Every structure is written in structure tokens, then in C-alpha cells.
Amino acid sequence: MAGVPEELREEGAFLPYPLFSEPSLSGPAVRESALAEHSLGRLDEASSRFAELPGFARATRVRDACASAGMAGYPVALREALAVSLDPRHGTPEQVVLPHLRGFELGFAKVEEGADTGDPDLLGEVAAALTGRAHHPDEPLRRGQGWLGPSRERAWLLTPTSAHLAGALAQWTVWVQAKPALPRVARLALAHLQLELLQPFEVPDGHVARLFTMLELVRAGMLRASVLPLSVWLDRAGDEYRDQVRRVVRTGDHGPWVEFFARGVRELADAQVDLLRGLESLAATYRATLPEGGRLARVANSLLGFPAVDHPTLCATEGLSPKGATLLTDRLVAEGVLYPWESRRYRKVFLCQEALSLLPPPHP
């Protein structure tokens, strides 16, 4: 930890290396970044052609929140997360999943309004939402010692506090806003890594770093909607992720990290393209079996984007009475499009099993 101030060495804390203003990366890192951006372009094109894009983006955020909760030690089944996103009363997982969803929704709403993803005030507000806490703009940064590892007691890295943290975060903000001459995915990988090392807010486990990455993909125009569930990939690649972060800490070499991160983005984007293909194929099946142009077909198609619904949602979106919503779900159950599932508090949710079967489980 050469170059770390004496008081930080006494704390056992690591001060991340400042991000370089004139970057130089290895050939494999640059090549993998270019391939990742190409895959993101394919995903953006595929999502633009998908008729149920808003629902698909919403379901993607639920999948990401579900994976994030799992990484925080609170695994939740995807069907429960989908149900809770419809109505918190559908089950107890809302204590974990709902704050994540609220943070995601807040962040993407701010980006739609033109917010700068590199603004620490925005990230602090999102971080507060992720934890379910009130946001205090005058006290945005964490006060206690930051850490990386399975627990504070078993941390393998302590991160800076007080003025050291504020200074490092300010340098990160300047670097992000300056947009160094790097491939965009490589730039994103480095910005993500620095946030992961700094842990500037009272949110452990890198939630802010992951959400920043997803927000920046949309803000920078690489994706038109939140259709890349980064936490789903990181939940599966967690061991290698931690190894790569530790390698940067140990060596100061960012190239292997960028290569690893870009490869993960590419693989996840390609998987999302395959998922959209599968949903399009299912849409063709529904078109062949359901009356065209009617409410039945419209609701069935909407389930390809977001594969869960309940009676209150149908009443609100379709202008139906409770009895009408019941008749509609009965028909879709009979057609094999939906199956009923009793949530934990005995509020009925209807799931599109064929669409759900195309999604990998949220936890490895």
C-alpha cells in the first residue's frame, strides 16, 4: 500500500489509486471493451424492436434487485420479487427487495430528467433509497470505516474515511465528467471499480457501483432502457469479481479488471438478446392461438415483458371491474398463459410460466 498516508496505514485502510488522465490499457482489455460495446448495440437494437419494452425493462430491474438482495445475504425467489413489485402486501421480501427497487426507480427517473450519473448528490440520494433511509444532503458520505469482504469482522480490505474519502470521491467525479479517451465500456469498468473500492455511502456490497453502471449505460446512450441486469451476472461471477478487485489492489494493474468486466457485460448482453428472441418466439405462439386484437391477446403480450399480474393491476390498466379481472385471468389460465400462485399473505398473483421459464434463476 505504498503512497498511503501514515494515518490510513495505521487504520489498515487502502486509498485507491487515482484514476489516470491519460489511460493506457492492454490490447486484450481494449479488444474486449470493443466487443462488449458491439454486444450492447445488438441488445439495444433488439430491445427497440420488442413491443413490450417498458415491461421488459421493469422486469429487468426486478431481476437485478432480486440478485442484489441475494448478494446482500437475503435470497428471494424471482416470483416473490415480481409479486412484491406489484404490491408490497404480496409478501415479506419487501423489506429487502423494495428498497432496491425504489433506488433503481429513483435513479432511472433522475436520468430521464437529465441528471448527471457522476454527481455524488444523486448517488447519495439513490444510496439512501437503497437502504430505505432518509436522504440527508448535508451528510452524504459514510462516517464509519468502509470495508470489502464477507463481513466487517472478516474484511479483506478497509477503505478510507473522512477527508481522504471526500477527496477520492471528488477525483472520481472529475474523472467521470471529463470522459477520458477510452472505449466507453473500459471507462465504465474503471468508474465502477473506483466506486466499489471507495464505498462512499452507507450501502455495503457494491450496490451503488452496480446501479451507477446501469444508469450510465442509459445516460450515455449505449442502451435506451434498463435492460441489462448487471447484478445477475455479478451474482454468478462473485468469486472472480472479488479476485479481480483484489488483484488491482495488489498490483495497481487495471488491464485484467477491464478485460474481465467487459467480457461479463458482453456475455450478459448476449444472454439478454437470446432472452428477447425467446420472448418473440413465444409472442408468435400467442398470436397463433389467441384472438387477434382483443383484450386477451393484449394482456398476454404484456406478460411477455413483465410476467406477473394481479387483479388490482388488471383493474387499473384495463379499466376492468374485479369480476371482469377474474373472468380475464380465468380465461388466460384456461389457455395456459397464466397460472395462479398464492403469495405469502394469500393475495393471488398470476404468473406467466412460459416467460418465467426463459429466465435463469436469480441466484446461482
Side-chain angles (χ1 to χ4, degrees), residues 106-118:
L106 172 64
F108 283 105
K110 294 282 187 179
V111 166
E112 280 189 15
E113 295 169 2
D116 185 350
T117 52

Side-chain angles (χ1 to χ4, degrees), residues 86 295 298-299 309-329 350:
L86 291 171
R295 176 175 281 144
R298 182 170 66 247
V299 172
V309 73
D310 58 11
H311 286 155
T313 300
L314 282 173
C315 290
T317 58
E318 294 293 323
L320 292 170
S321 66
K323 181 179 179 180
T326 300
L327 291 172
L328 180 61
T329 52
F350 296 87

Side-chain angles (χ1 to χ4, degrees), residues 53-327:
L53 177 57
F56 183 73
R58 182 186 175 197
T60 300
R61 294 192 293 272
V62 173
R63 291 174 63 203
D64 200 277
C66 195
S68 256
M71 282 189 281
Y74 301 96
V76 177
L78 180 57
R79 67 180 184 180
E80 291 183 89
L82 290 166
V84 166
S85 72
L86 291 171
D87 186 336
R89 295 172 297 176
H90 279 307
T92 57
E94 70 266 27
Q95 288 90 346
V96 176
V97 172
L98 269 188
H100 288 272
L101 285 173
R102 287 173 182 146
F104 290 2
E105 299 300 340
L106 172 64
F108 283 105
K110 294 282 187 179
V111 166
E112 280 189 15
E113 295 169 2
D116 185 350
T117 52
D119 180 359
D121 289 337
L122 168 64
L123 295 180
E125 187 176 358
V126 169
L130 286 170
T131 60
R133 300 172 182 169
H135 176 51
H136 300 289
D138 55 329
E139 299 178 359
L141 302 184
R142 63 171 166 77
R143 295 182 174 184
Q145 181 70 65
W147 52 273
L148 294 174
S151 68
R152 190 181 298 273
E153 293 72 25
R154 299 169 58 200
W156 53 264
L157 185 72
L158 300 178
T159 54
T161 58
S162 62
H164 300 293
L165 174 59
L169 183 61
Q171 192 271 337
W172 176 86
T173 299
V174 170
W175 188 88
V176 168
Q177 294 176 343
K179 298 178 177 58
L182 275 171
R184 290 192 293 180
V185 172
R187 191 165 68 220
L188 196 58
L190 293 171
H192 174 105
L193 172 69
Q194 199 78 341
L195 272 184
E196 176 74 3
L197 289 171
L198 290 175
Q199 300 280 343
F201 308 104
E202 297 289 350
V203 184
D205 300 313
H207 298 308
V208 173
R210 294 193 295 275
L211 182 52
F212 159 78
T213 304
M214 294 163 63
L215 293 174
E216 180 63 11
L217 283 168
V218 174
R219 189 213 60 80
M222 286 185 273
L223 293 173
R224 70 192 63 215
S226 53
V227 294
L228 193 79
L230 193 67
S231 295
V232 170
W233 165 64
L234 290 178
D235 198 13
R236 290 167 171 74
D239 289 342
E240 186 177 0
Y241 179 90
R242 287 182 285 274
D243 288 345
Q244 290 290 348
V245 172
R246 295 177 79 163
R247 176 173 177 161
V248 174
V249 170
R250 187 176 67 253
T251 68
D253 182 6
H254 291 84
W257 160 262
V258 171
E259 186 178 354
F260 160 74
F261 186 92
R263 184 174 66 251
V265 168
R266 172 174 58 81
E267 291 172 353
L268 182 60
D270 290 345
Q272 287 293 92
V273 171
D274 290 341
L275 171 58
L276 285 167
R277 284 201 194 103
L279 293 172
E280 292 281 11
S281 176
L282 190 52
T285 300
Y286 288 170
R287 284 194 297 270
T289 57
L290 298 174
E292 188 175 355
R295 176 175 281 144
L296 206 64
R298 182 170 66 247
V299 172
N301 284 327
S302 72
L303 291 162
L304 299 177
F306 192 86
V309 73
D310 58 11
H311 286 155
T313 300
L314 282 173
C315 290
T317 58
E318 294 293 323
L320 292 170
S321 66
K323 181 179 179 180
T326 300
L327 291 172

